[in-house]
Amino acid sequence: MNRANSIIPEPIARQPWPMLIPLFLLVLFGAAVLYSAAGGSMQPFASSHLFRFGVFLLMAAVITSFPRELVRFLTYPAYVIVLLLLVAVEIMGTLGGGSQRWIDLGFMVLQPSELMKPVIVVVLAHFYSSLPVGLITSWRALLVPAGLILAPMALVLMQPDLGTSLAIAFGGAVVMLLAGLPMRWFIGGGIAAVVAAPLAFFFALEEYQQRRVMTLFDPESDPLGAGYHIAQSKIAIGSGGIVGKGFNNGSQSHLQYLPEPHTDFVFATMAEEWGLIGGIFVIGIFAIILRWGTRVALASRDRFSSLLAAGMVATIFFYIAVNLMMVMGMAPVVGIPLPFMSHGGSSMMTNMICIGALMMVNRWNRNAPRGGLTS
């Protein structure tokens, strides 16, 4: 081992390769699926997918180098800036697909709601690490974070974007839970959510969102309308069988029966061609990445680092779980892409920010003095 370390440069040897190698394999596999989704061409999906990953990998490397003090100093300013960007979306946002979610900056089209997913995790981790332990059961520990979460959620729901608003809520709730808030508050919140769900369904959701929810329970009732996405996705996954139809031989995507085969339903595109074996490979890679992130959170020696890492793991997990449930007909179609496989710059950016943050905390852990958990 020492001989290997003498051959491999130290900056390379210290990288978290048990996570990075599986991640590289997943991105390359995703590029192969996108190549097939384009009918056997690197354009327009696979090439931009690899390019974006390369750019955001460099961004993650920069994030990895951030010191703890700088992150804490920038936390609240970053939250305010992203919140102002969400307000700007309402004023001057770009329309697309019936939603107003983007800001055209000229050199790129930015979706600020994606940035809020990791930012809400960092800001709550900072808040709870700064809160005296004796106040963790006080109303201050609940009301301030609730306000920090609800403000961006309300702005995102106005776009409208139910999936992203739920992702923001999930990441924030996980940090609150792990910070040690009384369980009775979460139970009470769950009961309140169940009671409020019918009101939210009829008065808060758009008509197309209501149809998506109802279609979840009976997709065959409208197979050519609201149930079309789920029905075609299940056909694609089921037709793949154990070993699939073979690379670049998927009929559902090639004949354009499967909607969004390169974004939201990329897993269905993959499963048709690679079958159950491909599905196990993808889920196995995700399990390796999430397990590594969880170990980083557990190894953290201070409260801020542990909450930050756990929240980033929860954010990636939300993407994976909701997308897989969605394409299998177990959740409404809410427009959540599959991390590191779906084509799309915003989701790649968010998930690579999470990866960069986890690598950053891993570096903090490696350099931290051994001792008890601190704030």
Side-chain angles (χ1 to χ4, degrees):
M1 192 66 170
N2 291 333
R3 182 179 178 182
N5 287 338
S6 65
I7 297 175
I8 302 175
E10 196 272 336
I12 296 177
R14 70 187 180 196
Q15 300 304 317
W17 296 112
M19 179 275 296
L20 286 175
I21 291 176
L23 176 63
F24 294 158
L25 292 176
L26 184 64
V27 171
L28 290 174
F29 188 44
V33 175
L34 293 174
Y35 173 91
S36 177
S41 172
M42 291 294 292
Q43 300 294 340
F45 307 134
S47 58
S48 60
H49 175 74
L50 293 174
F51 175 76
R52 286 167 175 167
F53 175 72
V55 170
F56 291 128
L57 182 63
L58 292 176
M59 177 197 67
V62 173
I63 293 173
T64 303
S65 66
F66 287 176
R68 184 186 289 101
E69 294 72 20
L70 178 63
V71 175
R72 295 178 72 106
F73 176 76
L74 295 177
T75 293
Y76 289 118
Y79 175 84
V80 172
I81 290 172
V82 177
L83 198 64
L84 291 175
L85 287 173
L86 289 174
V87 174
V89 169
E90 296 301 316
I91 300 173
M92 50 179 288
T94 302
L95 286 171
S99 300
Q100 187 169 324
R101 305 175 183 176
W102 301 270
I103 297 178
D104 191 349
L105 301 177
F107 63 93
M108 68 172 294
V109 178
L110 178 67
Q111 186 176 352
S113 58
E114 285 290 331
L115 290 173
M116 185 54 76
K117 295 175 185 177
V119 167
I120 196 67
V121 168
V122 182
V123 76
L124 291 184
H126 184 17
F127 175 83
Y128 284 115
S129 65
S130 304
L131 188 70
V133 177
L135 295 179
I136 201 65
T137 58
S138 68
W139 285 105
R140 178 185 172 188
L142 176 64
L143 294 181
V144 174
L148 292 171
I149 295 172
L150 291 176
M153 277 189 66
L155 291 170
V156 173
L157 284 172
M158 291 170 63
Q159 295 180 358
D161 189 350
L162 178 62
T164 299
S165 65
L166 292 176
I168 293 171
F170 182 80
V174 167
V175 175
M176 295 171 73
L177 177 65
L178 297 178
L181 269 66
M183 184 58 66
R184 65 179 183 275
W185 290 357
F186 292 94
I187 296 174
I191 295 174
V194 171
V195 173
L199 295 176
F201 178 83
F202 288 108
F203 299 107
L205 298 185
E206 299 288 336
E207 183 179 351
Y208 76 93
Q209 293 173 324
Q210 294 176 350
R211 289 198 301 269
R212 287 179 177 179
V213 174
M214 295 307 297
T215 301
L216 173 66
F217 301 102
D218 187 14
E220 286 74 22
S221 63
D222 189 11
L224 298 179
Y228 184 78
H229 293 69
I230 294 178
Q232 295 301 320
S233 177
K234 291 166 72 174
I235 290 172
I237 294 173
S239 64
I242 301 296
V243 297
K245 297 178 179 178
F247 177 57
N248 208 27
N249 289 323
S251 58
Q252 289 295 109
S253 58
H254 289 185
L255 297 178
Q256 299 182 351
Y257 287 111
L258 182 65
E260 307 296 335
H262 60 293
T263 54
D264 295 351
F265 291 90
V266 72
F267 184 84
T269 303
M270 180 281 303
E272 183 182 19
E273 297 187 359
W274 298 85
L276 179 64
I277 301 300
I280 292 175
F281 171 78
V282 170
I283 294 174
I285 294 293
F286 281 133
I288 291 172
I289 294 173
L290 293 175
R291 180 175 180 270
W292 175 82
T294 302
R295 294 178 66 180
V296 169
L298 292 174
S300 299
R301 308 309 300 174
D302 65 276
R303 189 172 180 80
F304 176 64
S305 300
S306 61
L307 292 176
L308 172 57
M312 295 301 175
V313 172
T315 300
I316 299 174
F317 172 79
F318 183 89
Y319 270 97
I320 298 168
V322 173
N323 180 271
L324 294 182
M325 292 174 65
M326 181 180 73
V327 300
M328 296 177 190
M330 301 168 63
V333 179
V334 292
I336 297 290
L338 189 64
F340 314 117
M341 290 192 67
S342 291
H343 181 264
S346 295
S347 63
M348 180 69 81
M349 174 188 66
T350 300
N351 285 289
M352 288 307 294
I353 288 175
C354 293
I355 291 294
L358 286 168
M359 293 171 64
M360 175 183 67
V361 175
N362 184 57
R363 182 179 64 82
W364 294 350
N365 294 345
R366 193 172 60 243
N367 298 333
R370 308 311 295 176
L373 189 69
T374 65
S375 61

